[in-house]
Every structure is written in structure tokens, then in C-alpha cells.
Amino acid sequence: MEEKKKLDFNTIIGFGLIFVIIMWMMYNNSKTEQKEQLEKAKTEKAAKAAAAAAPKVTATPIIDTTATDSVQIQKLKGTLGSFAYSATLPSAKENITTLENEFVSLKIANKGGYIVEAVLKNYEKFQKNSGKLVELVKDNNASFNLQLQTKDNRLLNTKDLYFEPTLTKVGANQILSMKLKAGADQYLEYKYVLAPNQYLVDFDIHSQGLNTVLNTAKPADLQWDLKTYRNEKSISYENRYAEIYFEHNDGKIDYVGQGDNKEEEPEKTTFIAYKQHFFTSILLTKTPFEKAKLHSQNLVHDEKKDTIFTKQYKATMPLAYTNGELDYKMNWYYGPTDYKTLKAYDRNMEKIVPLGWGIFGWINKFIFIPLFGFLSSFMGLGIAIIVFTILIKLAMSPITFKSFLSQAKMKVLRPEIMEIGEKFKKDPMKKQQETMKLYNKAGVNPMAGCIPALIQIPFMYASFQFFPSAFELRQKGFLWANDLSSFDQIAKLPFHIPLYGDHISLFPILAAIAIFFYMKMTSGDQAMAQPQQDGMPDMAKIMKIMIYVSPVMMLIFFNSYGSGLSLYNFISNLITIGIMLVIKRYFIDSEKIHAQIQENKAKPKTEGKFQKKMREMMEQAEAQKQIQNKKK
């Protein structure tokens, strides 16, 4: 009589866990529209209330820098107080000072004294050879402002005032002093120091003699805004990995989150990172900000229309006065979101690279990053991914072997298990007890097939974090994929398919085919490994569905992901199929396994603690059942 194929329940658990992990990742990467609208409505309501309650502040007038006579100075003093002195200097005009080295080019404006252009000289936008360098700051997408309060309760915004630049060189270092003067020896200074071959810029805020001008009992409010430009081929994929990270409370790293109008108010903040996918703008301070208010707004709602910017970031931090003066040692970082580059500065910045929490992060830090870094140092990135995948799968082949061996043992025991099932079909509890006894006598652990699958899940999830964060894949091609950090489009669709997109990527298709054949080849053995449990649904039908659902999931979820991750999954599935065929052909002999099981059954067995506990629980359940039957 032909036996119906049934699914190994442990395998179903494994697939279920994988599905849950993937869905959990997709949930965290894409917030629901309803939640976004609710957050937006709350923020708008709060903003209106704050606007109604806020005191009216007189705006700083436009300064006519051509008039420097005593009459003009008196007019300025009426609104700017002692800072009118700065407006009468020759530097009080629109002008730019440039600092640059081999890595970055920074332009600092007299007006506001802050960086109005930050260009990364070794990286291009969108695709290789585009001719457009990555510009993190340009065309007024950023502002940096200190809001100062005078002793007569007026508010001054430094972004509207003119600083006096002084550029010097000390050795190979370029030093730019930007002074906002209230008098010959009274000033607010921004000091920039750029060294060769560095992305990190020293940035000091210092004041002198302003305790007679400003209300130093109240901290100055530092405001830093940035509207981030799109730099990658897929704006939706780039936006998925763009958010604010911050370090606070003695080294803890956290983030604001995705979506519209997300806010956090950390304390003791030591850096704030406006992270994009592969590039980051970071403000670091050696004196922690006592409080910070961080705000992130998503700007990509329709990737066909919203094609220029990804996020609007805002931060407000109070700067406390020390002995009546400001004195903060800070740094700016404008550069790649590259784990090795950030780690080299030893400022904890590498933790903004999302490598996963717990064991997933450990796998990435101590296995994936060192191994892939070594391989990519002497071979092409595409080949490095293939070799990397082969080494990972070979290292895990003993686990794979144990899983297949367990399935083979369960398959050999299947006739005896079915016989027990038939004998005690009217007594499910007795059936379970006798089945457990058979497992114990034969030396077979029914969970041995599930545990190896569970061990492999952390490596699978770690790869989901590693490849999208691998900066070295950016704009590196392999075969038809011209950028392993983005999707490998082979055809553009004239329409948009929900969840799938408006293009066809080839590597996800290949990975889906490999998954299909792997499941097709293993479904029979997995079903034979363990008989269907009483009360369970028809596992054969579920297995048939899973064979087709898994490849479809791969096609949908990975079509817009980086092709490096899809290549990894494709090679991983191919290798798994190969290992499975080798193990089944050369290492698993059903007759030998059967003989070994019979030999094990003849040996006296000591009942383990777990098995004893399970037996006692079953006996107690059976006893309770009999008592209930008697009462009826």
C-alpha cells in the first residue's frame, strides 16, 4: 500500500521560524501608513499648541553691510546689542572659506560660520562613473545655529550673523577660526581643524568676554538640521537604512526609528549621527549634552515623486556655560558608513552600522566581517561572496550531516512507529508513551533534526544584516549586476507590482529556483522521517504549499534588496543541495542505520532525566484522564 507523504513536524517548526523572522524584519523596515498618519497628527497638534504658547520674538533684520557709520552702528545696537560690532567688520559679507584634504572638501560660510557644503571626493552618486560626487551638505540643505539670549532678554541666532574667518596652517593641518565679535576682545569662536587623510574634523565652540553681554544663567540652544540627499540607485532601499543614531548615558547606542515625525529625547548624549545608507554626518562632543531633542521625518512616500531627499533630521541641544563662557570640544564626521573606517577612530561610531543584536551581531563582528574582509582583500567582490558562502556552508556541514542523519534514523523507525500508532489508535496517550520508549531503546532523538536547523537560523539572520551594511559592495559589479549593494535589474517593467516593484532582478529568481528544488528534493525524506501526529492537519498538503510559497517569498522580498545578499542566498542554496546529495550518496546507508538501531535496542538503556520527566508527565496526564472518565 502506498504511503502518503507527510511533513516532519520539526522541519515545519524550522520553516515557521524562518518565516516569522523574515516577516519581523519586513515589519521593522516598513511601518504602517495608519501609524504614520497618527504620529503626524499628534505632532502637528503639539506644534500648533506650542506655537500658540510661544512668546513673540523679533526677527533679526537684514543688515546693510555697506553702511558702517555711527548712525548705522547705533541702529544695529538697537537689535543686535554688542554683536553689532561684527556687522561693521569687512568680513560681514557673503564669503566662503574652503578646507579640503584627500578625502573631503568642506566649505564654511561667513554668515553663520557653519559648513554649507561637504563633498566626499572619492565617492560618486547613484552609480560608478556618474561624474557626480557624493554631497552630504549643499544648497542650504543644512543649518547649524546657536540661539543666544542677551541680558535684556533678546534672542540672537548665529546663523543670521557674520563671522570673521582666519585661515592658518600648522604643519599639515588646516586651521580655520570663525569669530563672531561683540568687541575687539569679545567674541564667539568656531574653530575647525582638518588633518590630512581624515574624515573627522576637530570642531571647538569657545566664547570670550561674553558674560557681560549674554544671559549665561540659561544654556544656549544648539540647533542642527539636515535634509539628506539621495545618493543611491534605489531611493526606497536607501531610505530603509537611513535614521538617526545617538550615543548616550556612557556609551549606549540607540536610534530614533523610521517613519514620520519620530522623536527621542536622550540624556548625556555624546554623539548624534544623521545616518544615510552608506554615508553619515556625525556631531561628536567630549562634553556630553545634558539633554537632546531629536526628530526624524520620512520624506519618501512615493518613490516616483520623492526622488531627491530621504529624511529630514533635526536636533536641539542645550550648551551650558562654564564660568560664564562656552567651551565645547567637538568633532564633525562627514564620510562613509563603513564599519572599519568608523572603528578606526575609536569613538564607538562603528555601532551605528546595523549588524544585529546579540548573537547576530557577534556572528557579524567576529566571523563575517573578518572573513569577508580577508577574502575581498585579494579577490573580486563577487568571487569573494561565492568563496565566503562556500566556507560558511562547509563549516556548518557537520550540523547539516547530523540533521540528515536524524531524518534517516526516523525514516527507518517509521514502520514501527506506524505499528504503534495502529495498535494504540484509540489511546493517544499510550501511543505517545510507547513511541517515546521506542525512541529511547533505539537511541534516537526526535528533536535532533530540528536543533541543527535552529542553529543555522542565527547565521541566516546575520547575513540579512551583514550584506546590506557591507560598504565595500557599493558600486562593485559582478556578472550582470553593476552594483552588488543594489538590485540587479535585468528588465524594467512598464507598471508597478505591489510589494515586488517595477523591475525584475535576476539573482532573486535564481535563489528562488534553488530553494524550490532543494525543498522538492528533501520534502519526501522529511515527510518520511516522522509520521503525522493525531489531530494535526494534513501535512502533505501544507508541504506542497510551502514548496511554492517559499520561492515566491524570495522573489517578493529580495527583488529590491542588494544583489550581494541575493547572490549569497543563491550560492548557499546550491551548496546545500550539493552537500545533501553527497551525504545521501556516500555517508547515509539505510541498512547500516537499521542494523545500528537494532543493536541499540538490544542494549540496556538508562533513562535520561528529560525522558524520565516526559514519561512521568505522560503518566500523570493518563491518570488524570482515567479519573475524569470514571467521574463521567
Side-chain angles (χ1 to χ4, degrees):
M1 182 177 178
E2 185 180 354
E3 293 180 345
K4 292 183 179 179
K5 292 184 177 179
K6 299 178 178 64
L7 179 64
D8 177 4
F9 184 63
N10 296 321
T11 304
I12 286 292
I13 294 175
F15 280 121
L17 287 171
I18 292 172
F19 178 78
V20 169
I21 288 173
I22 292 174
M23 294 303 296
W24 177 76
M25 291 170 59
M26 295 301 297
Y27 171 79
N28 279 281
N29 287 337
S30 177
K31 304 299 183 184
T32 63
E33 183 178 353
Q34 181 180 2
K35 189 174 181 181
E36 290 180 359
Q37 292 176 347
L38 181 61
E39 292 285 347
K40 187 173 182 180
K42 287 181 179 179
T43 304
E44 289 177 351
K45 184 177 180 180
K48 289 178 180 178
K56 302 297 182 181
V57 178
T58 304
T60 303
I62 298 175
I63 300 171
D64 180 6
T65 59
T66 61
T68 58
D69 57 24
S70 59
V71 176
Q72 178 67 13
I73 293 175
Q74 291 302 318
K75 290 181 179 178
L76 291 170
K77 285 185 177 180
T79 54
L80 302 182
S82 296
F83 280 104
Y85 178 89
S86 190
T88 68
L89 298 172
S91 60
K93 60 184 178 180
E94 299 288 352
N95 204 357
I96 297 292
T97 305
T98 301
L99 299 178
E100 63 179 318
N101 60 16
E102 297 81 359
F103 293 169
V104 297
S105 175
L106 305 175
K107 292 185 178 181
I108 298 93
N110 285 3
K111 187 176 183 180
Y114 62 89
I115 296 170
V116 293
E117 185 175 297
V119 179
L120 303 185
K121 299 169 74 172
N122 299 319
Y123 301 105
E124 295 178 285
K125 282 186 176 182
F126 310 131
Q127 60 187 18
K128 198 172 181 180
N129 300 321
S130 67
K132 298 179 180 179
L133 294 177
V134 170
E135 298 167 300
L136 299 182
V137 180
K138 72 165 187 173
D139 296 340
N140 299 315
N141 74 315
S143 70
F144 184 84
N145 179 54
L146 266 181
Q147 190 172 77
L148 308 169
Q149 184 173 355
T150 65
K151 285 188 176 294
D152 55 357
N153 293 323
R154 283 172 295 167
L155 295 180
L156 304 177
N157 293 299
T158 60
K159 66 181 181 179
D160 299 323
L161 305 177
Y162 287 87
F163 288 67
E164 182 178 20
T166 303
L167 180 62
T168 58
K169 260 190 122 176
V170 177
N173 294 345
Q174 302 167 62
I175 302 174
L176 175 63
S177 170
M178 303 291 292
K179 289 184 178 180
L180 175 63
K181 294 187 174 182
D185 295 315
Q186 294 177 295
Y187 58 83
L188 172 69
E189 180 185 31
Y190 295 165
K191 185 178 179 181
Y192 301 85
V193 181
L194 179 63
N197 299 305
Q198 295 291 325
Y199 292 106
L200 198 67
V201 182
D202 291 343
F203 175 63
D204 298 344
I205 296 180
H206 172 72
S207 69
Q208 180 174 306
L210 297 184
N211 54 347
T212 60
V213 178
L214 302 177
N215 178 7
T216 58
K218 179 182 178 182
D221 282 335
L222 174 59
Q223 301 161 347
W224 176 36
D225 299 349
L226 181 67
K227 195 174 182 180
T228 56
Y229 280 104
R230 169 192 181 184
N231 289 306
E232 310 305 326
K233 183 167 65 174
S234 171
I235 191 169
S236 59
Y237 189 57
E238 177 181 8
N239 195 44
R240 187 179 302 162
Y241 295 96
E243 55 188 315
I244 300 177
Y245 279 80
F246 54 91
E247 182 185 53
H248 66 121
N249 292 329
D250 299 324
K252 294 180 181 178
I253 304 294
D254 208 339
Y255 54 91
V256 172
Q258 298 280 344
D260 278 340
N261 300 313
K262 308 296 288 187
E263 290 189 349
E264 290 288 340
E265 296 188 12
E267 298 180 350
K268 303 290 184 182
T269 307
T270 42
F271 76 63
I272 297 166
Y274 289 168
K275 179 183 176 295
Q276 297 170 245
H277 188 179
F278 286 122
F279 301 98
T280 302
S281 306
I282 307 177
L283 177 62
L284 306 98
T285 177
K286 293 182 180 178
T287 302
F289 304 129
E290 286 299 319
K291 293 182 179 179
K293 185 175 182 180
L294 310 178
H295 179 269
S296 174
Q297 181 179 356
N298 178 37
L299 301 179
V300 181
H301 300 284
D302 184 343
E303 59 182 290
K304 292 182 179 179
K305 298 177 181 178
D306 305 323
T307 60
I308 300 176
F309 299 100
T310 57
K311 292 285 199 308
Q312 173 68 66
Y313 296 138
K314 295 178 180 291
T316 302
M317 299 78 69
L319 299 189
Y321 292 89
T322 303
N323 298 323
E325 303 291 355
L326 291 173
D327 190 15
Y328 277 79
K329 304 291 184 183
M330 301 185 184
N331 296 93
W332 286 110
Y333 175 89
Y334 291 103
T337 314
D338 176 47
Y339 184 84
K340 293 179 181 177
T341 301
L342 293 167
K343 188 174 177 60
Y345 288 106
D346 196 24
R347 299 287 294 273
N348 222 23
M349 293 188 293
E350 72 278 3
K351 291 186 179 179
I352 71 170
V353 180
L355 298 177
W357 52 271
I359 189 173
F360 312 119
W362 299 340
I363 291 171
N364 277 323
K365 291 176 188 176
F366 302 117
I367 299 177
F368 282 11
I369 289 177
L371 178 58
F372 190 74
F374 170 73
L375 294 173
S376 61
S377 66
F378 60 89
M379 62 178 67
L381 271 297
I383 300 298
I385 292 175
I386 294 174
V387 175
F388 171 84
T389 310
I390 292 172
L391 293 176
I392 294 295
K393 297 303 291 185
L394 287 178
M396 300 189 71
S397 59
I399 297 175
T400 306
F401 174 76
K402 286 188 176 183
S403 179
F404 286 145
L405 182 61
S406 175
Q407 290 177 14
K409 288 180 179 180
M410 294 292 292
K411 183 179 177 181
V412 169
L413 283 178
R414 180 178 170 82
E416 295 182 58
I417 295 173
M418 292 185 67
E419 184 179 337
I420 292 173
E422 184 66 26
K423 184 177 180 180
F424 299 102
K425 61 182 178 181
K426 294 183 179 181
D427 191 346
M429 186 61 68
K430 186 67 174 177
K431 174 185 172 182
Q432 289 290 339
Q433 291 175 346
E434 293 301 317
T435 302
M436 291 298 293
K437 287 181 182 178
L438 175 62
Y439 288 151
N440 185 39
K441 286 181 65 177
V444 173
N445 181 0
M447 294 297 293
C450 180
I451 293 174
L454 294 177
I455 292 174
Q456 296 183 63
I457 287 177
F459 286 84
M460 181 204 70
Y461 181 73
S463 71
F464 275 79
Q465 298 293 106
F466 172 72
F467 284 100
S469 300
F471 181 83
E472 53 265 56
L473 296 182
R474 185 178 185 270
Q475 296 183 355
K476 297 298 190 301
F478 180 65
L479 299 178
W480 57 86
N482 55 23
D483 186 350
L484 287 168
S485 71
S486 188
F487 54 83
D488 57 313
Q489 176 179 310
I490 58 169
K492 182 75 173 177
L493 299 175
F495 47 83
H496 184 275
I497 301 175
L499 298 178
Y500 185 74
D502 59 359
H503 64 275
I504 298 174
S505 299
L506 184 53
F507 276 130
I509 294 175
L510 296 176
I513 293 172
I515 285 178
F516 174 79
F517 281 105
Y518 166 71
M519 296 190 68
K520 196 80 171 174
M521 293 170 65
T522 58
S523 60
D525 289 341
Q526 291 169 345
M528 292 291 288
Q530 183 172 320
Q532 183 172 320
Q533 302 294 322
D534 291 335
M536 294 294 292
D538 190 338
M539 293 300 174
K541 290 183 179 179
I542 293 178
M543 190 58 184
K544 287 180 180 179
I545 294 173
M546 288 295 294
I547 289 174
Y548 295 97
V549 167
S550 295
V552 171
M553 288 169 55
M554 172 64 71
L555 286 176
I556 293 175
F557 294 151
F558 286 84
N559 190 61
S560 294
Y561 267 68
S563 52
L565 179 59
S566 299
L567 173 60
Y568 170 82
N569 279 282
F570 169 53
I571 299 299
S572 178
N573 290 321
L574 282 184
I575 295 170
T576 302
I577 291 172
I579 291 175
M580 179 196 68
L581 292 174
V582 170
I583 290 175
K584 292 178 72 173
R585 183 175 180 85
Y586 297 103
F587 294 95
I588 294 182
D589 187 325
S590 296
E591 293 183 0
K592 289 183 179 180
I593 291 174
H594 184 269
Q596 183 63 49
I597 288 176
Q598 298 307 316
E599 184 180 336
N600 290 342
K601 288 166 67 175
K603 295 178 182 178
K605 283 285 181 181
T606 302
E607 190 176 35
K609 291 182 179 180
F610 176 75
Q611 293 167 329
K612 182 180 179 181
K613 189 68 176 177
M614 289 293 295
R615 177 179 57 77
E616 289 174 350
M617 289 173 62
M618 289 181 181
E619 289 174 352
Q620 290 173 4
E622 179 65 20
Q624 291 176 357
K625 182 179 178 182
Q626 290 178 359
I627 292 172
Q628 291 175 354
N629 289 337
K630 287 179 180 179
K631 289 180 179 180
K632 291 179 180 179

